[in-house]
Each structure stands twice: as C-alpha cells, then as structure tokens.
Amino acid sequence: MAFPLSFIITKSQMLSTSDHASVVSMNLFVALLCACIVIGHLLEENRWMNESITALLIGICTGVVIMLTTGGKSSHVLVFSEDLFFIYLLPPIIFNAGFQVKKKQFFRNFITITLFGAVGTLISCVIISLGATQIFKRMDLGSLDIGDYLAIGAIFSATDSVCTLQVLNQDETPLLYSLVFGEGVVNDATSVVLFNAIQSFDVTNIDPTIVLHLFGNFFYLFFTSTLLGVLAGLITAYIIRKLYFGKHSTDREVALMMLMAYLSYMLAELFYLSGILTVFFCGIVMSHYTWHNVTESSRITTKHAFATFSFVSEIFIFLYVGMDALDIEKWRLVSKSPGISVAVSSILLGLILVGRAAFVFPLSFLSNLAKKSPNEKISFKQQFTIWWAGLMRGAVSMALAYNQFTRAGYTQLRGNAIMITSTITVVLFSTVVFGLMTKPIIRWLLPPRQSSSTLSSDPSSPKLVTVPLLGSGRDSEVDLSGHDIPRPSSLRILLTAPTHTVHRCWRKFDDTFMRPVFGGRGFVPYVPCSPTERSVN
C-alpha cells in the first residue's frame, strides 16, 4: 500500500514538531536544575533558605513566566506523572537513604523509630481521616466518598523532613537526627502502603472484617517488602564476593549494584508490595555487606553516584511541584468558590498539626519509660523538634493526591480539583513557611555546642561520619563513652538493656554465619593485583 508523498511529509513534520517541543522542554528543565544547584550553593549559609525551598520558589517563578508567555494556557513544561515519580525519581532517594544510613544509631533506636514511623502514621491517618469525614461532608466539595476520605488521611500523613535534616547536626545530636531521619523513611513507606491498602479494598461498607483485612494487608506488605529488600541485598553481596568482578572491571561492580537495587524496587512493584521499604532495606544490606566486597575505586564511585542521583531527583521533584502549583486548569475549576479551597487547606493544616501532636508526645513518653539512661531519653525540646519536622508535606503527598484525584495529571471534577489545589496549597505553605522557620527554631531550641568531642569514625558505612555505626566486634563490647556493656547473663539484664543485648547477639550471629558467606567489613576477599582496599580493620 502506497502513501501519498504529501501525507508522509506532513506526518514527518508533525513528529518533528513534537520532538522539537520535547527537546525545548527538556532543555528548559535541565537549565532550571542547574540554576537550582548554583543558587542553592550560593545560599548555603543563609539562615532561612535551603535547597528544597529554593527549587520550589524557582519553580513558581518559572511557572509565572510560562503562564504569561502562553497567555494563561499553561504553567509548566512537563505534565506530572505518578509513574515518573514512583518509578524513576523516588527509588534513588530512598535507596540512598538506606545506603547512607547510620546503622548503629538507626537500629539502636529502631523501636522508637518504628513507633513514630509506623504506629504514629496510623494514628495520624485515623485522626486526619475522621476529621476530614466529619468536616468535609458538611461542605459543598462535590462527589467524595469514604474511600477518598481515607485516602486523604494517608496522603497527608506522609511527611517531608528534608528541611529539618538539612539543619540538624548528626554529630552534635545523633539521637535526634536518627529519630527524624528514620521516622521520615518509615513514614513515607507506611503512608504509601496504607494508601495502596485502602485502594485495594472496597471501603464503601466498612465492617470489622474489612478493618482486620486492611490491617492484615498492611502488615503483610510491610514484612514481605522488607524481606524482599534484604534478599536482594544479600544476593548482590554473594554474587560480587564470589565472582570477584573487581579484578577485571570496577564498572561491572558499580553497574550490578545499581541495577540490583533498582530491580528490587521494580520486583516489589511487580508483586504489589512496597517498593519504598524494599529498596530502603536493600540499601542498608548493600552498605553492610556488598559495599565492602567491591574495590576501593568502586566504593568511592558508588557513594557519590547514589548521593548524586538522590540529590538531582529531590531537586527535580520540588522544582516541578513549584511549577505545577499554578496549573490554570485546576484553579479554573475552583475559581467560582475560592473560599472553599482556602477553608479546606486551612482545615487540612489544622488536622496535620493535631494528628502530629497526637502521637509524637504520647509515644515519646512511652519510649522514655523504657529507657534507663537520661542521655537516651527524648527531652521536651527534642520532642518539639520531632513534631515540627513532620509538619512539612512534600512530593509523596503530591504524588498520592494526583494518583487519587486525577487521571494522567488532569481532572474535570470540581471536588477532585479542590483536593488537588488544597494539597498544592498545603505543600507550598508548609514547605515555605514552616521550612523558613526551621533553622531559627532549631537553633533556638538546640543551640550548637561550642566544643564537641569527636568520636572515632567507623568505616563500616559508605559515608564516613563521626558517629560509630555497626562496627566491629570490639565496638559492640564498648559503648560510646568507653564503658563496658554488661553481658546478658540473666533475663533482668535483657530487660534492662535490650538494645545492647540484641545488638550483641546480632554481632555474634553476623560474624559467625553471615559475613563468612556474604562478605562485609573484615571479610573482604584478597584479589591479587586489584585495587581492593587492604586496610579494612
């Protein structure tokens, strides 16, 4: 079958025009990313600003310019896609969080982190959902059902503690930094798991059976996702340890680590699990075993490569959120009733404040009851900082809101448009206003120490820090102050010092069974003529 020449030329011109528009859009976005990095560097020492707020404001300014040049037809050059966020942007952020995590601090406070990140998120979700159901039903918001109200609880339970983590000093306040960081990661995973669990059930007729199935599905996703991430990390460590990639090419080591990490995330999505939890624990296992099995050059490369991917993804997300905040289509649907949109945003902010306080202070009290040492207890100033750190909402809330209330980034329903614009308002207000106040508040509550003792660094992490991580066997015998930790000779010691007891048992199990098989610090194979780091101990 022959096509007319004019048709072929017209079709070719259409494709060329479309490709050219995509190239222009990508050029603009990459240039904006470069501008965010440069301006963020210039504002590094600023008392108020941080890179997240910088990217957000640049995105808003760019959206205004685009909207003016297009006559109000558009404010962004790319259409928001949940697939873009969850498949390409989120995995490197979460994996790097697990890869760079201070493992000893994380697992020492694991119970408290789990209380805040999992139990606290459930409490916050319930409070926000109940408040939204009782208040929004009395307002003219359009067709929102019980599933939408439950989804609102999961959407606005997802915190964004980036601003706070940029201010906290992990050397001066290791406990606080560990709690805020750990809670942020577990919180994101819990929110996404809750959101997926809500979507997978028919919640129009809620009964005790549905509630039990909902919680059962939540715990199933939580533990199976964690197990999949651990298995992916162990398999990678075993392959690299046995095959000695480094004696031929360090590029293969780096490529295998990156691809296996991404494969773990995609497998979790394939089996309808939580990719966030999977890739986070995959990062922890890789940093504990795999990272010590590769050559020295591969260690340096992976450390900086993962951090760079994570950094660019975060800037990309905040830049787009700023640009999408002025999307004229969504605001046109709510323009006839701007007061309702403002009221919904204000109510959501109030519910976030109440839901956050409802678990931070009570759970901190319970956590302090189980701790004997005053240094391990969470002071009221630290509790307030933890409460403040979780007030900001960011990219995860935006992505979940788009997933629930739009189709391919667009919506024609007034109720859905109100929820999207309200989510944008909450994200902008909490990130800019709360974010700008973060540095002054933390410096007022937790003034930097004039002289802080520097602790010995531990090379068991890909990121050398002054806080010991899961160190060698000698580290497990001595705590940070140099005092011996009593051996678990009785049940009483197990109950009074459970962290040290569990840590000691894990160290013995790890050194006896795990490291001889999967490698790790102190078990790095010697490869002749390879640049493998020799000074491991």
Side-chain angles (χ1 to χ4, degrees):
M1 181 178 179
F3 290 95
L5 181 61
S6 59
F7 174 81
I8 297 176
I9 294 176
T10 304
K11 190 69 174 178
S12 176
Q13 289 176 344
M14 292 174 59
L15 291 174
S16 178
T17 303
S18 176
D19 292 341
H20 180 72
S22 300
V23 171
V24 171
S25 300
M26 290 307 300
N27 271 279
L28 177 59
F29 216 89
V30 172
L32 290 173
L33 287 173
C34 295
C36 290
I37 294 173
V38 173
I39 297 175
H41 172 73
L42 296 176
L43 297 176
E44 182 72 25
E45 302 300 328
N46 186 273
R47 181 181 178 185
W48 304 92
M49 299 293 290
N50 58 61
E51 286 169 338
S52 301
I53 299 176
T54 301
L56 202 60
L57 294 179
I58 291 177
I60 293 175
C61 295
T62 306
V64 172
V65 173
I66 296 175
M67 190 164 57
L68 292 176
T69 55
T70 59
K73 295 180 180 180
S74 177
S75 64
H76 46 74
V77 294
L78 297 175
V79 177
F80 187 88
S81 170
E82 298 87 13
D83 293 338
L84 172 67
F85 176 78
F86 282 107
I87 296 179
Y88 300 108
L89 298 179
L90 192 59
I93 297 174
I94 303 300
F95 176 80
N96 185 66
F99 194 71
Q100 308 281 8
V101 71
K102 314 303 174 288
K103 294 187 290 294
K104 188 170 185 177
Q105 287 294 331
F106 180 82
F107 287 106
R108 171 175 290 178
N109 304 299
F110 185 74
I111 295 177
T112 306
I113 289 172
T114 304
L115 280 175
F116 287 155
V119 179
T121 303
L122 287 172
I123 295 173
S124 178
C125 178
V126 170
I127 291 177
I128 294 175
S129 295
L130 289 177
T133 303
Q134 295 300 319
I135 299 174
F136 291 165
K137 279 186 176 180
R138 303 176 184 178
M139 304 171 64
D140 183 21
L141 298 184
S143 56
L144 296 180
D145 55 26
I146 186 63
D148 292 324
Y149 294 124
L150 291 175
I152 288 172
I155 290 168
F156 290 99
S157 296
T159 65
D160 188 352
S161 55
V162 173
C163 293
T164 308
L165 289 174
Q166 290 176 348
V167 179
L168 289 176
N169 190 311
Q170 59 188 349
D171 300 332
E172 294 179 354
T173 56
L175 171 63
L176 185 58
Y177 188 93
S178 174
L179 292 177
V180 173
F181 171 81
E183 188 225 339
V185 175
V186 178
N187 167 274
D188 286 345
T190 305
S191 300
V192 175
V193 170
L194 266 177
F195 183 83
N196 292 335
I198 291 170
Q199 285 194 324
S200 63
F201 283 96
D202 181 14
V203 293
T204 54
N205 297 314
I206 296 182
D207 54 41
T209 305
I210 291 293
V211 174
L212 289 176
H213 277 277
L214 187 64
F215 281 101
N217 189 42
F218 168 75
F219 287 111
Y220 166 77
L221 291 176
F222 202 93
F223 288 110
T224 52
S225 301
T226 300
L227 180 61
L228 178 59
V230 172
L231 288 176
L234 291 178
I235 291 173
T236 309
Y238 184 81
I239 292 175
I240 291 181
R241 174 178 168 80
K242 289 299 182 182
L243 298 184
Y244 301 146
F245 283 90
K247 67 182 179 181
H248 297 299
S249 171
T250 59
D251 298 337
R252 293 183 181 131
E253 291 180 324
V254 178
L256 186 63
M257 289 181 68
M258 290 183 176
L259 292 175
M260 284 297 291
Y262 190 69
L263 178 63
S264 70
Y265 183 88
M266 295 309 298
L267 283 175
E269 295 298 317
L270 178 65
F271 295 111
Y272 302 101
L273 302 176
S274 171
I276 294 179
L277 273 176
T278 298
V279 78
F280 175 70
F281 280 96
C282 179
I284 291 180
V285 173
M286 280 194 180
S287 70
H288 188 61
Y289 296 109
T290 314
W291 191 74
H292 295 279
N293 296 340
V294 301
T295 60
E296 183 179 5
S297 57
S298 294
R299 297 180 192 181
I300 298 173
T301 302
T302 53
K303 181 182 72 172
H304 293 291
F306 294 145
T308 301
F309 289 146
S310 173
F311 173 77
V312 173
S313 296
E314 288 182 2
I315 297 299
F316 187 101
I317 291 169
F318 280 101
L319 181 62
Y320 184 85
V321 169
M323 296 173 66
D324 195 60
L326 301 176
D327 186 13
I328 195 65
E329 177 201 346
K330 303 180 184 68
W331 289 104
R332 185 184 293 117
L333 291 174
V334 301
S335 60
K336 296 181 180 179
S337 53
I340 291 182
S341 181
V342 174
V344 170
S345 302
S346 303
I347 291 169
L348 289 172
L349 281 171
L351 291 174
I352 289 171
L353 293 171
V354 174
R356 182 78 182 165
F359 75 84
V360 169
F361 299 105
L363 293 183
S364 297
F365 175 77
L366 293 177
S367 177
N368 288 339
L369 290 178
K371 295 179 179 179
K372 302 297 182 180
S373 173
N375 295 330
E376 293 182 350
K377 293 187 176 182
I378 308 172
S379 65
F380 179 77
K381 291 183 178 180
Q382 291 176 327
Q383 294 177 32
F384 186 88
T385 304
I386 295 171
W387 173 76
W388 183 268
L391 295 179
M392 284 161 277
R393 297 297 179 264
V396 175
S397 295
M398 286 289 298
L400 295 180
Y402 271 91
N403 187 286
Q404 180 70 22
F405 298 109
T406 67
R407 295 293 179 269
Y410 297 100
T411 182
Q412 297 295 330
L413 300 177
R414 177 174 171 273
N416 289 353
I418 290 176
M419 293 312 306
I420 290 294
T421 54
S422 299
T423 304
I424 293 172
T425 304
V426 169
V427 170
L428 289 178
F429 183 88
S430 62
T431 302
V432 176
V433 177
F434 294 161
L436 287 175
M437 297 170 61
T438 297
K439 282 187 179 181
I441 286 178
I442 292 181
R443 289 183 179 180
W444 174 61
L445 291 174
L446 306 169
R449 300 174 183 175
Q450 297 297 328
S451 59
S452 58
S453 58
T454 304
L455 303 171
S456 59
S457 62
D458 184 352
S460 69
S461 169
K463 187 174 183 180
L464 298 179
V465 295
T466 57
V467 179
L469 313 179
L470 282 177
S472 62
R474 296 187 299 274
D475 295 333
S476 63
E477 305 290 335
V478 183
D479 64 5
L480 299 183
S481 59
H483 300 292
D484 292 335
I485 297 172
R487 293 181 178 276
S489 57
S490 67
L491 180 61
R492 181 179 179 182
I493 296 179
L494 174 63
L495 296 176
T496 56
T499 302
H500 299 311
T501 304
V502 173
H503 179 247
R504 176 184 294 279
C505 294
W506 161 248
R507 294 303 315 165
K508 293 175 67 174
F509 176 80
D510 193 29
D511 292 338
T512 305
F513 299 103
M514 300 297 289
R515 291 189 182 187
V517 178
F518 299 104
R521 186 185 177 204
F523 291 84
V524 181
Y526 172 75
V527 183
C529 303
S530 74
T532 305
E533 186 179 16
R534 311 282 171 73
S535 57
V536 182
N537 297 317

